[in-house]
Amino acid sequence: MNKVKNKISWKIFLVFVSIILIFTTLVYAMLILFLPQFYYNYKTNQINDYADEAVKAGENGDLSNVEKALDEFMDNTNILPILTDSSGRIIYIPNVNMSSLNTAMPTSVQGSESESGSTATQYPEQSKTKNKSILVDGQVYDLSYTINVQKINDIANVLLQFAPYFVLFAFILSLLTAYFFSRRMVRPLLRMNKVAAKMAKLNFTEVLPIMSQDEIGQLSGNLNEMAINLEQTMLELNEVNEKLQKEIEKERQLEEMRKNFVTAISHELKSPLAAVMGQVEAMRYNVAPYDNHPKYLQESYQILEQMSKMIQEMLDVSKVEQTNHMGQQTMFSLTEMVETIINNKKTAPSRIDKKIIFESKEEVKLTANYAFTEKVIENIIENAFDYSIGDYEIIIDLHNRGEGFYFSVHNKSARIPEEELGKLFEPFYRLEKSGNKKTGGTGLGLFIIAKFLNIQAIQYKLINENDGVTFQMWR
């Protein structure tokens, strides 16, 4: 990182130094090449302009105005103008006492325009005499002046002699200027590079300070905005990924459960089916003791009845996966549903001696899938009847609790080992290890209850009490 920083700094620094040196060199060369000529043209035009002013002053018909104009001519240009009449006699020279002058102007002054003196090789017209006619009150006068800008070449010579000092000064100035400007540019660029490196590693914690409104400031703002958008996108992708992982894990578990379920079904149906086939085959050939057809036909029927019940429970389990069917929810009276199921269950002759206590004093409304809720309540009460000891009463409680409800069924039975409580909700798991369907059931009842309640977001729990077992569910 430091090597990159130094490399960037030196490159920018050298670029600045080169630009400044080239610029100053070009400016200085322009001064040497064009300043003398520019100065010569400027002075020539200035002298001619003042001469023209003197000519205009004569238009007023007053010679004194011409003399004033000639005084300004000399004061501003340092050129000596000479005013003569048509015969060559000197009429006026600024700052000269004319009474002491008795001689006529030399011939060289006369004429429309003549040259005198030698000139420099660079500017051949540096020194020359010019004449202009001035008409004052009908009389013509001649204005003579000599343009002498011989010293113009000194400017170029001085500039050439001063060049080494100027180059040294320009070099030092360029170093200082390049140093400050390069640091001003490099610092934000290095900060951007640092932040961009962190962004490449998915670290979006650092924010670039916006120190100006120029392109660098705008770039810093864009990087900050990009970091925010990338961070938000990464968070959304992580959330989606987590959901996807959960869905994949859930699908894997369902697939595993399906395999286990099919294996268990095959095992559970195979044994009773083989028993029925064996009994029927023996009765068909009157093999003793199966020649007693009424007795063994009844046993075969009971086995088939158990198989039918198991198949129906398997169909109920398959409906659990139909989420669109489970989504058909309505509001109904849970109190009325429980009362109806109790009345249907206790009418069986084998259950007349069972005492059920259900004294719900309030109407409980529930929004859920009616058919599956009825199946849950029916299975819970059915288990209470099947596993109650003697003629002990079954206690059912139902009441409103906050915005939800509470429902429980308590029956007297043997205590269930704590390590077995959670396993009872697994498919085909029975406390009765012998596999006897008469005493151990199919092992699907509590599994179906758990699936229906989980999908409908109803919580449940099976707990041991001092005198039995209680099944609770609530929302």
Side-chain angles (χ1 to χ4, degrees):
M1 181 65 186
N2 291 331
K3 291 182 179 180
V4 174
K5 175 180 177 180
N6 293 333
K7 189 175 181 180
I8 294 175
S9 301
W10 274 108
K11 279 186 177 180
I12 296 177
F13 178 78
L14 291 176
V15 168
F16 269 109
V17 170
S18 301
I19 292 174
I20 295 173
L21 284 177
I22 292 172
F23 177 76
T24 53
T25 302
L26 290 175
V27 171
Y28 202 78
M30 289 177 63
L31 290 176
I32 295 175
L33 294 175
F34 300 110
L35 181 60
Q37 182 64 48
F38 179 82
Y39 177 76
Y40 174 78
N41 293 333
Y42 169 75
K43 293 300 291 183
T44 301
N45 293 332
Q46 184 187 39
I47 294 170
N48 290 330
D49 288 342
Y50 276 104
D52 292 338
E53 290 294 327
V55 173
K56 291 181 181 179
E59 295 175 357
N60 294 328
D62 190 352
L63 188 60
S64 62
N65 290 334
V66 176
E67 293 175 353
K68 290 179 181 179
L70 293 178
D71 290 339
E72 292 182 0
F73 187 149
M74 182 173 179
D75 291 339
N76 290 287
T77 63
N78 291 324
I79 299 297
L80 183 65
I82 300 174
L83 183 66
T84 62
D85 58 13
S86 58
S87 62
R89 186 172 60 89
I90 297 175
I91 301 300
Y92 182 75
I93 299 175
N95 299 328
V96 176
N97 187 357
M98 298 303 302
S99 61
S100 61
L101 288 177
N102 296 316
T103 58
M105 183 179 179
T107 307
S108 62
V109 179
Q110 298 177 355
S112 60
E113 184 173 302
S114 62
E115 298 181 4
S116 65
S118 61
T119 61
T121 56
Q122 186 175 1
Y123 304 108
E125 297 183 357
Q126 280 184 331
S127 180
K128 63 184 178 179
T129 300
K130 300 188 68 174
N131 298 82
K132 289 184 180 291
S133 296
I134 302 176
L135 182 62
V136 181
D137 196 18
Q139 186 174 355
V140 179
Y141 294 91
D142 185 66
L143 173 63
S144 301
Y145 57 93
T146 300
I147 299 176
N148 185 5
V149 286
Q150 237 173 349
K151 295 184 179 180
I152 192 67
N153 286 332
D154 294 342
I155 297 176
N157 294 330
V158 169
L159 288 175
L160 288 173
Q161 293 177 9
F162 186 71
Y165 303 99
F166 181 82
V167 170
L168 178 62
F169 171 77
F171 180 72
I172 296 174
L173 180 63
S174 64
L175 290 179
L176 295 175
T177 306
Y179 174 76
F180 288 109
F181 273 92
S182 63
R183 284 187 64 85
R184 178 179 172 82
M185 291 187 62
V186 167
R187 280 183 177 178
L189 290 176
L190 290 176
R191 284 197 297 264
M192 292 179 195
N193 184 52
K194 181 180 178 182
V195 172
K198 289 186 176 181
M199 289 171 59
K201 297 179 181 179
L202 304 181
N203 183 355
F204 308 104
T205 57
E206 189 167 347
V207 179
L208 284 170
I210 301 176
M211 308 299 293
S212 62
Q213 298 299 322
D214 57 8
E215 289 77 5
I216 293 179
Q218 293 175 5
L219 181 58
S220 298
N222 292 335
L223 280 175
N224 290 337
E225 185 176 354
M226 183 174 68
I228 294 172
N229 293 335
L230 285 175
E231 184 177 16
Q232 183 65 30
T233 303
M234 290 300 300
L235 290 175
E236 293 175 358
L237 287 175
N238 288 335
E239 290 178 1
V240 172
N241 186 53
E242 289 178 1
K243 291 180 180 179
L244 182 61
Q245 291 293 335
K246 290 179 180 179
E247 291 296 328
I248 293 175
E249 181 63 22
K250 182 179 179 181
E251 186 65 27
R252 188 192 65 79
Q253 292 176 355
L254 288 174
E255 184 62 26
E256 187 68 22
M257 187 177 68
R258 290 190 190 100
K259 291 180 181 179
N260 295 336
F261 191 70
V262 170
T263 302
I265 289 174
S266 301
H267 175 75
E268 293 294 330
L269 291 179
K270 182 179 180 180
S271 298
L273 186 60
V276 171
M277 290 180 65
Q279 289 180 354
V280 171
E281 183 72 15
M283 286 186 288
R284 178 183 176 189
Y285 293 103
N286 292 319
V287 177
Y290 295 100
D291 53 354
N292 185 0
H293 294 178
K295 174 183 177 182
Y296 288 101
L297 279 175
Q298 180 64 26
E299 289 185 3
S300 297
Y301 177 79
Q302 290 176 352
I303 294 173
L304 292 174
E305 189 176 31
Q306 288 290 332
M307 291 178 64
S308 176
K309 181 180 178 181
M310 182 183 296
I311 291 172
Q312 184 58 48
E313 289 179 338
M314 290 184 218
L315 292 175
D316 291 337
V317 171
S318 67
K319 291 179 182 179
V320 174
E321 307 301 330
Q322 301 176 14
T323 54
N324 58 336
H325 184 65
M326 293 297 294
Q328 298 174 2
Q329 298 186 348
T330 58
M331 179 178 285
F332 55 88
S333 172
L334 187 59
T335 303
E336 183 179 339
M337 175 186 286
V338 173
E339 289 177 345
T340 302
I341 293 174
I342 290 173
N343 293 332
N344 293 336
K345 292 293 182 183
K346 68 180 182 181
T347 56
S350 60
R351 296 168 180 169
I352 295 177
D353 58 340
K354 302 287 185 180
K355 184 178 180 181
I356 299 178
I357 299 176
F358 178 59
E359 297 179 354
S360 179
K361 298 179 181 180
E362 55 184 340
E363 183 74 9
V364 177
K365 295 286 187 178
L366 177 63
T367 300
N369 183 286
Y370 185 90
F372 290 104
T373 304
E374 184 180 39
K375 181 67 176 178
V376 168
I377 301 297
E378 185 176 344
N379 282 0
I380 293 172
I381 296 177
E382 180 75 20
N383 286 342
F385 276 114
D386 291 343
Y387 296 102
S388 292
I389 300 175
D391 57 355
Y392 192 81
E393 60 191 18
I394 297 172
I395 302 173
I396 299 176
D397 182 22
L398 175 64
H399 62 266
N400 291 305
R401 187 168 70 175
E403 297 181 357
F405 75 95
Y406 174 83
F407 173 77
S408 67
V409 177
H410 174 78
N411 63 283
K412 184 178 181 180
S413 66
R415 184 177 181 84
I416 301 175
E418 294 294 332
E419 64 274 10
E420 301 279 354
L421 286 175
K423 297 178 181 179
L424 290 176
F425 295 99
E426 297 177 2
F428 300 110
Y429 188 87
R430 294 184 293 267
L431 289 175
E432 173 62 52
K433 307 301 182 184
S434 64
N436 190 336
K437 303 297 186 295
K438 294 181 180 180
T439 60
T442 62
L444 290 174
L446 289 177
F447 172 71
I448 295 172
I449 290 172
K451 295 294 291 183
F452 288 168
L453 294 180
N454 286 333
I455 292 178
Q456 299 187 106
I458 298 176
Q459 300 185 59
Y460 60 91
K461 183 167 60 174
L462 184 63
I463 60 173
N464 285 310
E465 301 280 6
N466 293 332
D467 56 350
V469 177
T470 300
F471 185 94
Q472 302 172 334
M473 71 177 192
W474 67 93
R475 178 188 281 177

